Amino acid sequence: YCSNECGLKLAMKRLETLLPESFNAWYPELLTKTGKSLSELKKLPDCMATVIDKTRLEEINKEQCVVHNRLVELELEHQKLTTLISRAQERKTGRNNEQMLAAVAQDAEQVEQMEPIICVTCSAEISMRHALKHMEKCFQKMEGNTVFCANQKEQIMGTPLFCDAYDSQARAYCKRLRVVCEHYKEPKLPADTVCGSPLVQNVFEETGEFCCVPRNKCTKHFGWERLRRAKIDLERYRCLIQMDELMQEEQRLQRAISQRGGILGILLHQTIDHNPQKPVPIPAKLKASCKTEKPPDT
């Protein structure tokens, strides 16, 4: 432009030329009837895009309630598991329980006679008796080569989820699951502590009894407490990710609804119906929601 004044005049002329036509296309009922003012905009029915977004917002709110309830249930499961472990640790192995120890020794001999298996991580041959311990240590060793860090500590209410051990080299906090991380050390228990794993029947039905084999000699239920906690924490982590995605989608839809129908949107966007004889089909849910809306006041 030859000057700022010339550019401003051209911009004003563009608004005077394009804005009424675009405004009439967006709000046809507002300008066709006399006596209407800009204050009547809020009373006009929503456009189809806004109706779709509002319907999706209602669905998001329902999904958020479901995820929140599931997080509460998982926290209660964590507390129940802690109570179960503490109750099992109160039991002590009897000194005269020779029959049970003999059965454990016999099972160990049978396991030793079985063919060795291949570790899925390091491809080494290991005996069935020490397979679980070896695989867990081998997995933690391989996981230690990968860094999962963040600059902030965990800010989640309830049971801690992440390790949050500070790495001085990376200057960040470890973000692995706390119970399966190499930085997490379980408390040392007395030598006479029993395994305490709940016994089951028909694969999933708990009998209410515990495994009374000494903890350091039980090979069937190695690390059962850690695995159960990890299972709960993994589901909690997935629920938190789902909640975060729902919150981001909710913010995006609310921003789109608030910006739709403004001056800038009217000038920059235009809807062209290339086939006016064939109307756009409306979903059944939206038809029901449109019927329930009250007509605007005249």
Side-chain angles (χ1 to χ4, degrees), residues 238-273:
R238 290 172 178 170
C239 289
L240 291 173
I241 291 178
Q242 185 179 0
M243 181 69 75
D244 185 61
E245 292 176 352
L246 291 174
M247 291 178 63
Q248 291 181 3
E249 186 179 0
E250 182 182 14
Q251 293 176 359
R252 180 179 59 81
L253 292 176
Q254 290 177 351
R255 192 184 308 112
I257 292 174
S258 62
Q259 295 178 355
R260 186 175 291 120
I263 299 298
L264 185 61
I266 291 175
L267 288 175
L268 297 180
H269 300 87
Q270 183 180 6
T271 302
I272 300 176
D273 190 0

Side-chain angles (χ1 to χ4, degrees), residues 133-282:
K133 293 182 180 180
H134 173 85
M135 288 183 180
E136 183 175 358
K137 292 181 179 179
C138 195
F139 176 76
Q140 288 184 353
K141 183 178 179 181
M142 297 298 293
E143 279 288 309
N145 298 329
T146 308
V147 180
F148 298 95
C149 295
N151 296 327
Q152 295 181 353
K153 275 191 172 183
E154 177 186 2
Q155 298 179 356
I156 300 176
M157 301 296 293
T159 307
L161 184 62
F162 299 107
C163 172
D164 275 341
Y166 184 73
D167 189 353
S168 57
Q169 296 181 354
R171 295 182 179 180
Y173 298 94
C174 178
K175 289 303 174 183
R176 292 189 182 91
L177 289 181
R178 180 171 176 264
V179 292
V180 295
C181 184
E182 59 182 355
H183 301 124
Y184 176 70
K185 304 298 181 183
E186 293 185 353
K188 294 184 179 181
L189 300 174
D192 57 347
T193 305
V194 299
C195 170
S197 175
L199 300 179
V200 296
Q201 61 182 3
N202 298 329
V203 183
F204 297 109
E205 298 178 3
E206 294 187 0
T207 60
E209 299 180 357
F210 303 97
C211 176
C212 297
V213 178
R215 185 184 180 89
N216 54 0
K217 294 184 179 180
C218 184
T219 57
K220 293 182 179 180
H221 313 116
F222 176 75
W224 69 272
E225 310 101 321
R226 184 168 58 255
L227 294 177
R228 284 204 175 190
R229 285 197 181 102
K231 181 181 178 181
I232 297 175
D233 288 345
L234 183 60
E235 190 171 355
R236 287 176 60 204
Y237 181 65
R238 290 172 178 170
C239 289
L240 291 173
I241 291 178
Q242 185 179 0
M243 181 69 75
D244 185 61
E245 292 176 352
L246 291 174
M247 291 178 63
Q248 291 181 3
E249 186 179 0
E250 182 182 14
Q251 293 176 359
R252 180 179 59 81
L253 292 176
Q254 290 177 351
R255 192 184 308 112
I257 292 174
S258 62
Q259 295 178 355
R260 186 175 291 120
I263 299 298
L264 185 61
I266 291 175
L267 288 175
L268 297 180
H269 300 87
Q270 183 180 6
T271 302
I272 300 176
D273 190 0
H274 297 280
N275 191 3
Q277 297 179 357
K278 184 179 180 181
V280 179
I282 302 176

